[in-house]
Amino acid sequence: MKYNAFDSPAISITPEIVQAFLAQQQSKGLSPDTLKSYATALEKLQEFLGPDSTIYPCTIAAWQKKMQQDGYANSTINAHMSAANGLLRYLHRSDLAADMLDWTAAPSPEITRGEYLRLLQTARLMDNPRDYLLVKLLANTDIQLRDLAAVTVENVATGHIPLAGNAPSLVYLPAVLRQELLGYARSQAIRSGPIFVGRGGKPVNRAVVTWVIQQLAEKARVAPEKATPRALHKLYQTIADGIRRDLEVQARQIYDNMLAAEQKTIGWKDG
């Protein structure tokens, strides 16, 4: 199906159109992983469009802005935009597309350990254990928003959380976090399944978690641009990388000392 940019200022996107686009991309040799990424992105786009499923001149730009507000990484946003723009090109409606994000933008400010602790203290003062645990989990493990549905009573009890992604991996939960998470689940009468759920019993989504952290940041007097799920994860990565570097130095020192001790007793002696 082809459209002329002058026929209508808007275009309706149906599941049939999306499937036809994906079939065309597959015929052009797109990899299965990329096709899957496109399909997921276009599902997200249709969720954003709602029942009307109509794209207007500013719709894609508005979707991009919404993803930024919800805390999506720039790489994810650009991947979603690539799928949407590709669909519009397929429909000969490039006039409705939007520009990709500029990767030359300055990096976002990093949250400090002290600011993170202020977020925790604020959640405690507000007597809000769910928000407290969300912040603590994101800042102290390799778990990201996409993995929250896997933070179940069953997985927490084992001490390991499976991460989403192509390569299977497990995240170890420190004992303190395990105890707090299971204690919170008991207090909420959650006996199985995801621990972080909304009123309908479904796992909390990205928008809710981002809003929670922003609300805490406002009360804790932490800059909003620092208080994001991505910033908390980066804080964890920075600390974890520092610990690993220290351990590597200690391991080399121990190994050098062991070889030096052996050298004194059985080392080859010249002359």
Side-chain angles (χ1 to χ4, degrees):
M1 185 181 296
K2 294 184 179 181
Y3 294 84
N4 187 291
F6 297 100
D7 290 341
S8 169
I11 185 174
S12 293
I13 304 299
T14 66
E16 291 76 19
I17 289 176
V18 171
Q19 289 305 313
F21 166 67
L22 293 174
Q24 187 224 40
Q25 295 300 300
Q26 185 176 27
S27 69
K28 291 170 64 175
L30 228 62
S31 71
D33 284 345
T34 303
L35 279 172
K36 184 178 179 181
S37 174
Y38 271 30
T40 299
L42 294 174
E43 283 179 12
K44 295 291 186 183
L45 173 60
Q46 288 180 298
E47 288 177 12
F48 176 77
L49 296 177
D52 188 37
S53 296
T54 301
I55 296 178
Y56 297 93
C58 295
T59 297
I60 301 301
W63 183 42
Q64 183 187 72
K65 185 175 182 180
K66 178 67 165 56
M67 287 189 285
Q68 288 178 294
Q69 292 172 341
D70 288 346
Y72 280 80
N74 283 358
S75 57
T76 301
I77 295 174
N78 276 348
H80 284 21
M81 297 294 293
S82 177
N85 288 344
L87 175 63
L88 290 170
R89 285 194 299 271
Y90 164 73
L91 296 171
H92 298 272
R93 292 303 308 269
S94 294
D95 59 299
L96 297 177
D99 294 334
M100 308 287 271
L101 291 178
D102 183 4
W103 283 95
T104 62
S108 57
E110 296 183 11
I111 190 170
T112 67
R113 194 72 182 176
E115 289 168 330
Y116 149 74
L117 292 174
R118 291 218 308 268
L119 293 179
L120 286 189
Q121 185 179 34
T122 299
R124 286 187 59 188
L125 291 172
M126 295 171 62
D127 194 25
N128 196 325
R130 186 196 69 171
D131 296 357
Y132 166 91
L133 284 170
L134 275 170
V135 171
K136 195 168 189 177
L137 188 69
L138 293 172
N140 291 283
T141 70
D142 209 19
I143 292 171
Q144 299 184 60
L145 293 182
R146 64 186 181 182
D147 307 305
L148 284 180
V151 183
T152 64
V153 173
E154 294 83 355
N155 287 335
V156 172
T158 69
H160 294 83
I161 305 296
L163 295 185
N166 295 327
S169 59
L170 294 174
V171 161
Y172 168 75
L173 281 180
V176 169
L177 262 176
R178 291 203 304 270
Q179 294 169 4
E180 288 188 320
L181 286 166
L182 292 175
Y184 171 73
R186 286 193 299 271
S187 72
Q188 301 298 308
I190 300 173
R191 296 181 176 82
S192 65
I195 290 177
F196 296 108
V197 294
R199 293 179 182 177
K202 294 182 179 180
V204 292
N205 59 35
R206 181 184 298 268
V208 169
V209 177
T210 301
W211 180 84
V212 160
I213 297 172
Q214 288 287 299
Q215 293 298 302
L216 285 177
E218 183 179 352
K219 295 178 174 62
R221 296 184 180 180
V222 175
E225 61 270 21
K226 291 185 176 184
T228 65
R230 189 180 181 189
L232 290 173
H233 185 249
K234 190 172 182 180
L235 174 65
Y236 161 75
Q237 289 180 315
T238 300
I239 293 174
D241 288 346
I243 292 173
R244 279 191 285 267
R245 285 194 297 270
D246 289 344
L247 289 175
E248 287 174 3
V249 171
Q250 292 179 32
R252 286 196 296 270
Q253 290 174 342
I254 292 171
Y255 197 68
D256 286 346
N257 292 339
M258 181 186 73
L259 290 179
E262 291 174 348
Q263 183 70 16
K264 290 180 179 180
T265 57
I266 58 173
W268 189 273
K269 301 184 184 298
D270 293 332

